[in-house]
């Protein structure tokens, strides 16, 4: 391993010299090219090694991380539903109060009306729920399911060790040579078969010896057994009695397999060994019990049926399922991956090799998509703060669902990077918050119709607010609803709108119909109490609250129009006419964060929530509201380019929406150099996956925007990305977009229309263009810097400059 590492470093040096002079560039993308993270050593088997160096695989419901030790292989694994807290904890109340608090909300509102602003602590003292002792006893936390440990006899001196994650195929591998034998291990988590699969093999017969066991954390009962190569560990969490089961089937090709009484299985002298891992609990996403069938039958069926299939069959099915999603988008910025480990590639970013930098940017963009495919598939829960991965009993922020940026950010890339179906668990989860959220809306606010959730939630319908000042965020439902509606805007799927999105949106709007108050200062409708997430005082009409209301009622008005709910469209209209839209330019030229001009030019807080209107909102744009866009820029400059991982990722999106590609790329570079771990996981710190997802979304925003209804091509192209090609991005209006560009301008725009209708495109092409369908010219109209033409359902078009 040492030898390889030294060679790797020499490699960096040589590549740096050669690439400095390599200015030639070919914009033709090779499929799946260079989509591999690799390392020349195992991840240290420590919590720090897990976080920064283990390699993640996942099938949405299950996740695992590969350490790759030669004699001690370790797969830490998870299944999304294994959570402490919730029903089963005797005094669990979904975050609601144990007893009514008459007048609590009115008292707070009156104080805000007379004092203008009050400490957020006072709001939460009146409306929040006292914290648990021990912490999060009732709320609970996402749990590590356990660890698969493989003991392998020491093969002697090892050379050519390589541990890799092939993100194009969704397969991790460990390979090495020892004693003249070449060893290969492969690992993947397959969605079609619902299990994690591992195989150990060698290029000589009879060389695989392995002892397999599963260990689980101490916060649960557990019984481990081994029978006919099947290890089972069964028990229940001490916290809430949630039943869990995991099974590992060990199958050997040749050799001898032994079941041990301590619940382990040993194999000696095999040609290869395949291990199939399944896991589940008796959780069900059903309020109020959140319990379903015992997991035994389901886990047994999954592991048994997968074990009956050949390894090759399992792998081929998985690879085609994974590639079907992954291959939809390709980005080529002219990167060339030097033959160095990914940790060295990351460490060398920005230090000389332009083509290596471009290759890392391409890889990091694709990695966000890989992580979403691995951590969010239909039929399970949405990606949490760590996706589907977690090694601890007490993970950071419970590895929960934070609703004041983090869960939303997890899904920003889903539509734009053509992974719409991965958002299905997110939509189902939001839908599932309505039932508990109705109870909370009544109790806390006396609202009779509608639902509410606050700043964080768990998998057990927690919709109340803790008594911590950050936790009052009843606007979360409006933000979540906006993303449901955006799925409709991208797909034009009316069934989805009618059945999934609109019921959530409408019920959210109903809550706000009752909650909004007339501001005595100017007679406009405002949210009160209202706070900019995690910063400043509690007031009436903080900018983000109002922007979210504008988004909600604008979305509802549009959706009601599409679905023919004319009465509610009129209601939304009348609210919008009276609503304070939350957009003001303050004394130092900034976009105000509050209705009163309270902003400090030296405030550098990581949340920049008042810019919601710019991104992901559509209320501010340099194209439509240049003065407000300038003010947003002033605010953003004041906040600086610093921040946690997700904060930098959001700033990539902001600068992209401000049409400043160079600044967006600068932020992406900052994120890579200061907020990215060697395994390319985003770090807050600690590891938090939103930054990965947000950065990928940001790159998509740099290349294509459509929030204003126009397909805006290369709106924020950095000068360093002067030539390139992207395929498969999605624009609102059910359009799939490909772009080839050179000298910072498109040479071809490819548009595949899913629906018939007019397409308006800001091509970014100077001079005249021609639109073709199958080689035939399609007429178009020019208006300023956009063109419009009529697209047919299912037809593909090319827009090119007229030579
Ligand atoms: C929000 C953020 C923190 C962190 C946490 C999980 O509260 O302010 O930075 O991301 O969520």
């Amino acid at each position: 391993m040492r030898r390889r590492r030294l060679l790797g470093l020499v490699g960096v040096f040589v590549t740096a010299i050669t690439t400095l002079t390599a200015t030639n560039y070919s914009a033709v993308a090779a499929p799946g090219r260079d989509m591999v993270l690799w390392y020349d050593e195992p991840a240290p088997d420590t919590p720090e090694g897990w976080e920064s160096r283990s390699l993640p695989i996942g099938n949405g419901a299950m996740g695992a991380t590969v350490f790759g030790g030669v004699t001690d292989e370790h797969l830490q694994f998870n299944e999304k539903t294994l959570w402490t807290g919730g029903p089963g904890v005797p005094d669990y109340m979904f975050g609601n109060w144990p007893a009514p608090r008459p007048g609590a909300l009115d008292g707070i509102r009156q104080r805000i009306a007379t004092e203008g602003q009050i400490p957020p602590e006072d709001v939460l003292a009146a409306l929040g729920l006292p914290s648990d002792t021990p912490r999060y006893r009732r709320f609970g936390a996402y749990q590590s399911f356990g660890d698969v440990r493989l003991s392998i006899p020491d093969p002697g001196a090892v050379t050519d060790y390589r541990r890799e994650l092939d993100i194009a195929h969704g397969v991790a591998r460990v390979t090495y040579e020892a004693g003249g034998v070449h060893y290969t291990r492969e690992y993947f988590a397959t969605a079609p078969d619902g299990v994690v699969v591992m195989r150990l093999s060698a290029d000589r017969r009879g060389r695989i010896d392995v002892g397999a066991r599963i260990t689980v954390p101490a916060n649960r009962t557990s019984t481990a057994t081994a029978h006919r190569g099947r290890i089972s560990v069964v028990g229940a969490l001490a916290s809430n009695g949630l039943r869990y089961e995991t099974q590992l089937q060990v199958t050997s090709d040749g050799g001898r397999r032994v079941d041990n009484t301590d619940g382990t299985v040993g194999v000696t002298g095999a040609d290869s060994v395949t291990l199939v891992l399944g896991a589940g609990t008796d959780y069900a996403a059903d309020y109020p019990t959140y319990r379903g069938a015992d997991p035994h039958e389901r886990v047994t069926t999954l592991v048994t049926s997968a074990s009956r299939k050949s390894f090759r069959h399992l792998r081929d099915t998985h690879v085609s399922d994974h590639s079907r999603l992954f291959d939809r988008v390709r980005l080529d910025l002219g990167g060339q991956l030097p033959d160095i480990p990914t940790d060295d590639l990351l460490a060398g970013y920005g230090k000389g090799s332009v083509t290596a930098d471009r290759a890392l940017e391409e890889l990091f963009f694709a990695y966000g998509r890989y992580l979403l495919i691995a951590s969010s598939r239909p039929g399970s829960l949405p990606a949490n703060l760590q996706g589907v991965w977690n090694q601890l009993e007490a993970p950071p922020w419970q590895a929960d669902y934070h609703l004041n940026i983090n869960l939303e950010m997890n899904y920003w890339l889903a539509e734009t990077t053509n992974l719409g179906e991965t958002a299905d668990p997110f939509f189902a989860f939001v839908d599932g918050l309505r039932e508990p959220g109705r109870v909370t809306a009544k109790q806390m606010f006396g609202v009779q119709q509608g639902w509410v959730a606050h700043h964080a939630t768990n998998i057990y319908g927690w919709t109340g607010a803790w008594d911590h000042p950050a936790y009052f965020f009843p606007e979360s439902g409006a933000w979540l609803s906006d993303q449901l509606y955006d799925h409709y805007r991208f797909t034009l799927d009316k069934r989805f709108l009618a059945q999934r999105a609109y019921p959530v949106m409408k019920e959210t709007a109903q809550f706000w119909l009752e909650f909004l108050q007339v501001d005595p200062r100017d007679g406009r409708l405002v949210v009160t109490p209202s706070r900019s997430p995690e910063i400043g005082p509690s007031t009436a009409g903080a900018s983000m609250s109002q922007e979210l209301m504008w988004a909600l009622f604008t979305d509802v008005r549009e959706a009601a129009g599409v679905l023919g709910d004319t009465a509610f469209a009129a209601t939304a209209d009348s609210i919008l006419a009276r609503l304070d839209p939350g957009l003001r330019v303050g004394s130092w030229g900034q976009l105000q964060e509050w209705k009163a001009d309270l902003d400090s030019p030296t405030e550098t807080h990581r949340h920049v929530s008042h810019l919601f209107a710019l991104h992901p909102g559509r209320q501010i744009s340099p194209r439509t509201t240049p003065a407000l866009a300038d003010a947003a820029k002033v605010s953003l400059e004041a906040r600086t380019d610093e921040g946690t991982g997700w904060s930098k990722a959001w700033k990539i999106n902001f600068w992209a929406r401000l049409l400043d590609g160079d600044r967006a790329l600068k932020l992406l570079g900052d994120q890579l150099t200061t907020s990215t771990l060697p395994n390319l996981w985003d770090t807050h710190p600690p590891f938090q996956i939103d930054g990965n997802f947000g950065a990928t979304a940001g790159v998509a925003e740099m290349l294509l925007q459509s929030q204003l209804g126009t397909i805006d091509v290369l709106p924020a192209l950095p000068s360093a990305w002067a030539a390139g090609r992207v395929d498969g991005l999605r624009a609102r209006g059910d359009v799939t977009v490909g772009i080839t560009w050179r000298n910072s301008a498109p040479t071809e725009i490819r548009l595949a229309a899913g629906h018939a209708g007019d397409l308006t495109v800001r091509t970014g092409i100077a001079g005249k263009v021609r639109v073709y369908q199958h080689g035939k010219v399609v007429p178009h109209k020019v208006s300023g810097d956009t063109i419009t033409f009529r697209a047919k359902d299912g037809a593909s078009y090319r827009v090119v400059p007229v030579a």
Side-chain angles (χ1 to χ4, degrees):
M1 277 176 252
R2 207 60 246 156
R3 184 174 66 92
R4 188 66 186 233
R5 176 151 281 266
L6 283 175
L7 281 176
L9 290 176
V10 173
V12 182
F13 185 62
V14 172
T15 321
I17 293 174
T18 48
T19 49
L20 278 178
T21 54
T23 46
N24 285 346
Y25 168 67
S26 146
V28 180
R33 193 188 56 132
D34 297 342
M35 289 292 125
V36 175
L37 283 65
W38 73 274
Y39 304 82
D40 57 8
E41 54 194 3
D45 200 351
T46 59
E48 195 278 333
W50 176 88
E51 181 179 6
S52 62
R53 292 185 176 269
S54 71
L55 293 175
I57 54 175
N59 63 14
M62 286 185 77
T65 53
V66 179
F67 285 72
V70 170
T71 56
D72 296 288
E73 177 58 292
H74 178 192
L75 261 92
Q76 186 278 325
F77 69 98
N78 296 92
E79 196 277 335
K80 279 249 187 72
T81 63
L82 192 74
W83 267 73
T84 53
V89 176
D91 52 352
Y92 183 72
M93 296 184 73
F94 308 92
N96 296 320
W97 301 331
R101 300 181 191 176
L105 175 64
D106 288 347
I108 288 295
R109 281 182 167 161
Q110 263 158 32
R111 275 193 63 200
I112 289 174
T114 46
E115 296 168 42
Q117 49 172 287
I118 64 172
E121 288 78 4
D122 292 4
V123 175
L124 276 300
L127 300 174
L129 189 74
S131 303
D132 277 345
T133 327
R135 264 185 115 208
Y136 297 101
R137 183 179 59 80
R138 287 170 290 175
F139 184 91
Y142 184 43
Q143 295 298 302
S144 171
F145 214 108
D147 302 84
V148 173
R149 297 207 173 255
L150 305 179
S151 317
I152 293 146
D154 189 347
V158 165
T159 57
D160 292 321
Y161 178 92
R162 180 177 165 111
R163 182 171 58 104
E164 69 174 31
L165 179 62
D166 171 351
I167 64 171
H169 299 100
V171 177
R173 275 183 212 92
V174 170
T175 51
Y176 53 91
E177 304 266 338
V181 180
H182 183 78
Y183 293 90
T184 303
R185 301 181 197 157
E186 289 176 89
Y187 316 76
F188 56 88
T190 161
D193 284 286
V195 290
V196 171
V197 183
M198 301 156 251
R199 190 174 73 149
L200 287 67
S201 62
D203 65 355
R204 296 242 220 106
R205 309 201 80 160
R207 291 306 179 114
I208 303 296
D209 299 339
V210 61
R213 73 198 148 100
I214 293 180
T215 58
V216 296
N219 63 355
R220 61 200 76 172
T221 61
S222 68
T223 310
T225 54
H227 178 63
R228 300 175 82 175
R230 176 85 52 109
I231 298 172
S232 298
V233 182
V234 180
L237 292 179
S239 153
N240 57 9
L242 188 80
R243 290 184 356 215
Y244 74 89
E245 177 149 350
T246 176
Q247 297 183 18
L248 179 71
Q249 177 64 49
V250 182
T251 309
S252 71
D253 180 10
R256 197 168 152 260
R257 189 184 69 198
V258 185
D259 300 329
N260 300 310
T261 48
D262 62 354
T264 64
V265 169
V267 174
T268 46
D271 299 340
S272 71
V273 172
T274 303
L275 303 104
V276 170
L277 177 72
T281 73
D282 67 350
Y283 173 83
D286 289 333
Y287 175 82
T289 61
Y290 292 98
R291 289 292 188 281
D294 187 276
H296 176 73
E297 221 172 284
R298 201 171 56 82
V299 173
T300 306
T301 307
L302 283 173
V303 174
T304 301
S305 64
S307 305
R308 285 196 185 124
K309 298 177 186 172
S310 72
F311 174 78
R312 185 178 289 268
H313 180 75
L314 288 168
R315 191 185 56 194
D316 289 351
T317 311
H318 161 67
V319 169
S320 69
D321 171 67
H322 177 84
S323 315
R324 180 179 58 85
L325 298 168
F326 186 86
D327 289 352
R328 286 180 191 162
V329 171
R330 290 200 183 118
L331 173 63
D332 184 358
L333 301 170
Q336 280 164 23
L337 262 191
D339 189 21
I340 56 170
T342 304
D343 45 349
D344 293 338
L345 180 73
L346 179 66
Y349 182 83
K351 296 192 179 142
S353 169
V354 168
T355 53
D357 289 355
R358 296 295 86 84
L360 179 60
E361 289 153 9
E362 292 165 6
L363 186 64
F364 195 59
F365 168 76
Y367 193 45
R369 297 185 69 250
Y370 167 84
L371 291 172
L372 188 63
I373 296 168
S375 63
S376 190
R377 301 292 288 270
S380 185
L381 292 160
N384 61 40
L385 284 172
Q386 294 185 165
V388 58
W389 302 281
N390 164 42
Q391 61 172 337
L392 300 171
E393 290 170 42
W397 291 286
Q398 300 67 248
D400 65 20
Y401 298 98
H402 266 55
L403 306 180
N404 72 347
I405 177 67
N406 318 87
L407 179 61
E408 289 89 348
M409 183 178 278
N410 282 2
Y411 287 92
W412 286 350
L413 71 164
E415 307 299 338
T416 51
T417 76
N418 214 336
L419 294 173
E421 57 272 72
T422 62
D424 195 70
F426 168 72
F427 301 144
F429 185 74
V430 174
D431 201 356
L433 287 174
R434 283 198 287 157
E435 228 180 323
R438 284 173 198 145
V439 179
T440 304
K442 277 204 184 75
Q443 190 198 44
M444 283 180 80
F445 307 123
V447 165
Q448 296 308 309
Q449 272 194 306
W451 69 284
V452 71
H454 286 82
H455 155 287
T457 189
N458 59 10
I459 67 169
Y460 304 118
W462 180 283
T463 44
W466 288 111
D467 61 358
H468 181 280
Y471 278 78
F472 189 80
F473 189 58
E475 298 91 339
S476 58
W479 195 345
L480 298 166
S481 295
D482 185 52
Q483 290 191 197
L484 267 85
Y485 183 57
D486 221 19
H487 181 75
Y488 167 75
R489 293 187 77 206
F490 273 95
T491 59
L492 303 181
D493 179 348
K494 273 199 195 162
R495 219 177 121 211
F496 171 84
L497 183 65
Q499 292 177 6
R500 180 64 103 192
Y502 190 64
V504 176
M505 295 163 65
K506 185 169 177 176
E507 196 174 346
T508 308
Q510 280 165 331
F511 172 85
W512 290 101
L513 288 180
E514 290 185 50
F515 192 95
L516 287 169
Q517 301 289 303
V518 174
D519 190 336
R521 289 172 289 185
D522 59 6
R524 313 293 293 177
L525 291 177
V526 288
V527 177
T528 176
S530 147
R531 188 180 186 224
S532 204
E534 305 193 32
I535 168 172
S538 288
T539 62
S543 304
M544 189 204 216
S545 305
Q546 300 306 122
E547 294 165 12
L548 282 168
M549 291 306 111
W550 184 90
L552 174 67
F553 285 99
T554 302
D555 293 349
V556 163
R557 180 175 58 182
E558 285 177 13
V562 172
L563 298 173
D565 187 354
T566 43
F568 209 68
T571 304
D573 244 343
S574 78
I575 294 292
L576 286 167
R578 295 155 62 210
L579 186 73
D580 178 339
L583 305 178
R584 287 180 182 77
V585 179
S587 56
W588 44 280
Q590 88 283 12
L591 188 77
Q592 282 180 210
E593 190 157 2
W594 296 275
K595 187 159 179 171
D597 191 350
L598 308 174
D599 305 57
S600 158
T602 56
E603 178 60 70
T604 58
H605 198 280
R606 63 189 180 284
H607 284 264
V608 202
S609 306
H610 50 314
L611 268 57
F612 170 88
L614 175 71
H615 179 276
R618 51 182 162 135
Q619 215 176 347
I620 295 181
S621 164
R623 308 266 193 228
T624 49
T625 58
L628 290 169
D630 283 347
K633 197 180 287 187
V634 170
S635 294
L636 200 49
E637 291 284 8
R639 283 293 221 268
T640 76
D641 291 351
E642 300 295 312
T644 55
W646 65 256
S647 176
K648 290 191 185 98
W650 200 355
K651 288 170 184 170
I652 300 171
N653 289 273
F654 285 140
W655 285 110
R657 286 278 175 97
L658 287 169
L659 312 178
D660 188 338
D662 284 339
R663 191 63 173 272
L665 179 58
K666 194 254 173 195
L667 261 303
L668 175 63
D670 288 357
Q671 187 169 1
L672 283 166
T673 49
T674 60
S675 298
T676 302
L677 297 164
N679 57 4
L680 302 190
W681 263 349
D682 169 74
T683 180
H684 183 280
F687 161 51
Q688 198 169 290
I689 207 160
D690 41 19
N692 285 103
F693 294 145
T696 295
V699 170
E701 290 289 328
M702 290 158 78
L703 301 171
L704 185 73
Q705 291 175 25
S706 61
Q707 73 278 8
L708 302 173
T710 297
I711 299 171
D712 205 334
V713 176
L714 302 181
L717 190 69
S719 42
W721 294 358
R725 177 180 173 132
V726 69
D727 280 291
L729 293 182
R730 296 276 294 163
R732 292 168 185 83
D734 194 13
V735 187
T736 306
V737 182
I739 312 159
T740 305
W741 69 96
R742 207 173 281 280
N743 300 323
S744 301
T747 52
E748 182 181 81
I749 301 165
R750 296 170 290 281
L751 302 160
H755 276 72
D758 280 350
L759 294 185
T760 299
V761 187
R762 182 172 286 102
T763 63
I765 297 171
K768 289 197 170 139
V769 303
R770 220 162 256 149
V771 182
Y772 291 99
Q773 187 209 357
H774 285 312
K776 279 202 193 130
V777 173
V778 176
H780 68 270
K781 279 189 252 153
V782 180
S783 164
D785 57 359
T786 65
I787 63 158
T788 301
F789 65 93
R790 180 147 284 263
K792 288 185 201 148
D793 183 355
S796 294
Y797 300 87
R798 288 173 57 236
V799 181
V800 293
V802 175

